[in-house]
Every structure is written in C-alpha cells, then in structure tokens.
Amino acid sequence: AQSVTQLDSQVPVFEEAPVELRCNYSSSVSVYLFWYVQYPNQGLQLLLKYLSGSTLVKGINGFEAEFNKSQTSFHLRKPSVHISDTAEYFCAVSAGNQGGKLIFGQGTELSVKP
Amino acid sequence: ETGVTQTPRHLVMGMTNKKSLKCEQHLGHNAMYWYKQSAKKPLELMFVYNFKEQTENNSVPSRFSPECPNSSHLFLHLHTLQPEDSALYLCASSQVGVPLITGELFFGEGSRLTVL
C-alpha cells in the first residue's frame, strides 16, 4: 500500500523568498503524484500533477514540483512567494493497482509574512 | 454557481440529533466522494459513489449514512454522533475512472461540523 509523508507541518517564510515544501512517498508500484492547495475556508484545488514523462512539473500560480524516483520524493517549490500563497498544501499519491484512490499527506501550512 | 456546492457550511449538533449534509455538483461528473478532514491529520476518504452506486466504504461507522439519489447530489446523514466526529466534511466529484489517470478531484468548500 502507498503512504505519503509531508515532512514539515508548518513553513513560515517572508514574502518574495523561495520556498520548498517536502513530500516523500512509499509505494511498491508506479504512482501518480499530486499537490493540492487549500486556501482558508475553501475546499482543495489541484495545483499540479505528475503522471509520466518529464520529471519537472509546472503548475498554477508559479509553483513547480520535481519527481525523484530514486529518492521517492515529490517536493513542491516556488522561487518567490506572495502573501496570497498563504494556505495549506497537500501532497497525494495514487497507484493504478489501488483503483486510483488518492492517499493524502498530513498537509503543510505555508505562512507568508510581509 | 461554483462547481461543487456544500450546505450547510457550519453545523452544530448534539449527540442525539439527526442532521444531514448536502452536496451538489454542477460539473457533469459521475463520481462523488465524502472526505473527513480533522486537524493535523490526513484527509480520510469515507465513501465513493460511481454512477449513484456506492463503490467504497472505508470502514465508516454506521452513524454516518450516505445517500446518492443521482449523479449530481450526495448526502451524508448524521445520527447519534460523538464529539470526535467534529471535523470538516468535504465533498468532491470527478469523472469515473479519472482519478486513476489525472487525479483531479473537484472539492466543495466543506461543512464544518461540531458535535457537542
């Protein structure tokens, strides 16, 4: 079975600084990987996804993530954050042999300060 | 009109009450989901419906009773809940089989439930 670990529960950062949110997964089969974002008092929305092909994936709002199979990681990065990026970020994994069920990590709270 | 609408947004109930959460999707999807989001815990998948048929029940206690009358509507009936059931309940929708390929679930804003 798959599992997802988000290594940081909270990440405080100043506006315009770079940020990396870490995600590691475990699975014995090929996986699909996702990042979702949840703004305050809202549901989750898809930020980006890795299905196959290029290991560097670009998403909305200037975010990108890199799939590293050898390190079983899918870290999310942004070179310069804005106040509006303050939100909770969830990493998720899906494996084909599990009927496509999404397994979510615990979430990382990104707090961008002026 | 947002894609997935949940009502009520906030609900406070006693342990002996009976209430229901409602979800409606306007995206033409044919799969709907209930997730439970508790503080500092991963999202927990509760139920999955494909074409109105329940395809997954993730060992959810019987005090939670889902109902899917059609592909656009999903309910979660609540009765004799416990304080530990207090959480944000999220509804989501997708096309059948799509999570297998794209993982794109469309979420509502959630119903914040407090059980006293």
Side-chain angles (χ1 to χ4, degrees):
Chain A
Q2 310 92 267
S3 66
V4 179
T5 302
Q6 291 183 243
L7 298 163
D8 307 295
S9 60
Q10 294 180 317
V11 174
V13 64
F14 287 106
E15 193 173 20
E16 298 184 8
V19 70
E20 178 179 84
L21 307 183
R22 296 180 293 168
C23 173
N24 285 90
Y25 69 92
S26 66
S27 175
S28 57
V29 299
S30 296
V31 296
Y32 306 118
L33 294 155
F34 313 89
W35 277 98
Y36 279 79
V37 59
Q38 184 178 31
Y39 297 104
N41 300 313
Q42 294 187 27
L44 281 72
Q45 65 181 82
L46 184 67
L47 199 56
L48 49 79
K49 62 192 176 195
Y50 170 79
L51 304 180
S52 65
S54 173
T55 57
L56 183 63
V57 179
K58 293 189 184 299
I60 61 173
N61 301 337
F63 283 93
E64 63 180 33
E66 186 158 17
F67 170 56
N68 188 319
K69 188 175 181 179
S70 62
Q71 296 187 3
T72 60
S73 68
F74 191 56
H75 299 333
L76 181 70
R77 302 185 183 100
K78 186 169 182 177
S80 175
V81 294
H82 302 291
I83 299 285
S84 59
D85 292 322
T86 294
E88 185 124 26
Y89 292 79
F90 293 90
C91 183
V93 63
S94 169
N97 65 350
Q98 295 292 318
K101 186 169 67 175
L102 279 183
I103 305 299
F104 286 87
Q106 302 94 321
T108 297
E109 187 180 331
L110 175 64
S111 176
V112 182
K113 304 180 187 304
Chain B
E1 186 78 68
T2 58
V4 180
T5 305
Q6 290 188 242
T7 55
R9 293 292 311 278
H10 300 273
L11 178 63
V12 179
M13 59 187 289
M15 293 168 61
T16 58
N17 291 159
K18 289 185 180 181
K19 298 285 184 183
S20 296
L21 306 181
K22 178 183 176 182
C23 176
E24 183 174 1
Q25 59 96 0
H26 310 275
L27 300 169
H29 292 161
N30 41 36
M32 297 188 77
Y33 311 76
W34 279 116
Y35 279 87
K36 177 183 179 183
Q37 185 178 26
S38 303
K40 305 306 179 187
K41 291 177 67 176
L43 270 74
E44 301 172 53
L45 179 63
M46 300 175 71
F47 302 103
V48 181
Y49 279 83
N50 288 334
F51 292 104
K52 304 186 299 179
E53 299 297 320
Q54 188 180 115
T55 55
E56 183 148 352
N57 177 337
N58 231 9
S59 303
V60 180
S62 60
R63 57 185 183 270
F64 294 92
S65 174
E67 179 189 1
C68 188
N70 55 60
S71 294
S72 298
H73 293 85
L74 184 65
F75 295 89
L76 188 62
H77 303 301
L78 316 168
H79 60 98
T80 60
L81 295 191
Q82 305 298 312
E84 59 264 28
D85 296 323
S86 298
L88 182 68
Y89 289 85
L90 291 165
C91 174
S93 71
S94 73
Q95 286 296 105
V96 170
V98 165
L100 186 65
I101 304 300
T102 72
E104 187 149 17
L105 299 178
F106 291 79
F107 285 85
E109 295 183 324
S111 293
R112 173 73 61 187
L113 173 67
T114 302
V115 181
L116 302 176

